[in-house]
Amino acid sequence: MERFLRILNYNTNKTIIDMAFQISKFQLNDARFLKFKPSQIAACSVILAINIYEKDKDQYSQKGFFNNCQVKDGLQELNLQIWNNQTVHQMSGYSIGDIKECLIELSQFICNNLSPNRLEGFDLAAIMT
């Protein structure tokens, strides 16, 4: 997880680091995640933590983290472009396609089991496309 945070230049943001670790620990409550490698779960935890953090931050600033992401029916698409590029693919060993199933399952697990649901307001169905 630390490597992925470093690759994405979020390794100094304590909020994202803590959130990503909490997400990755939370998945230990369900056996369905045993089919994924720990590094896949770490990558997905980092993506979700960054998106949650940036969504909260975008409400108060004009940074535009989600500029290239669609809003459909009032739901914000996750910014997967942070991961879906050649540099991240080469350095992490994973493309977004390699971790898509894990990302979908982890997102659904968080939505169904956490209160408050920090992924509320995100279009999680868009991950599949």
Side-chain angles (χ1 to χ4, degrees), residues 46-56 65-66 69 77-80 82 119 122:
V46 165
I47 291 169
L48 293 174
I50 291 171
N51 274 273
I52 291 167
Y53 175 82
E54 292 291 351
K55 183 176 183 218
D56 290 347
F65 178 79
F66 295 100
C69 301
E77 195 175 88
L78 284 170
N79 184 346
L80 301 180
I82 59 173
L119 292 176
F122 281 107

Side-chain angles (χ1 to χ4, degrees), residues 8-97:
L8 297 172
N9 294 321
Y10 283 94
N11 58 312
T12 58
N13 187 314
K14 179 132 176 60
T15 303
I16 292 176
I17 293 168
D18 291 344
M19 195 181 317
F21 274 108
Q22 292 302 318
I23 291 170
S24 65
K25 284 186 350 187
F26 182 62
Q27 62 75 34
L28 294 170
N29 294 310
D30 197 309
R32 71 177 139 172
F33 293 102
L34 291 172
K35 65 184 173 184
F36 301 113
K37 296 177 183 177
S39 56
Q40 290 174 309
I41 293 168
C44 295
S45 298
V46 165
I47 291 169
L48 293 174
I50 291 171
N51 274 273
I52 291 167
Y53 175 82
E54 292 291 351
K55 183 176 183 218
D56 290 347
K57 191 170 137 186
D58 267 5
Q59 292 176 359
Y60 306 107
S61 71
Q62 301 297 321
K63 183 180 178 207
F65 178 79
F66 295 100
N67 280 351
N68 298 325
C69 301
Q70 296 180 354
V71 176
K72 182 179 176 186
D73 299 327
L75 297 176
Q76 175 68 58
E77 195 175 88
L78 284 170
N79 184 346
L80 301 180
Q81 294 306 315
I82 59 173
W83 196 274
N84 199 19
N85 64 63
Q86 190 64 27
T87 304
V88 174
H89 178 114
Q90 286 177 338
M91 294 179 79
S92 70
Y94 292 124
S95 69
I96 200 70

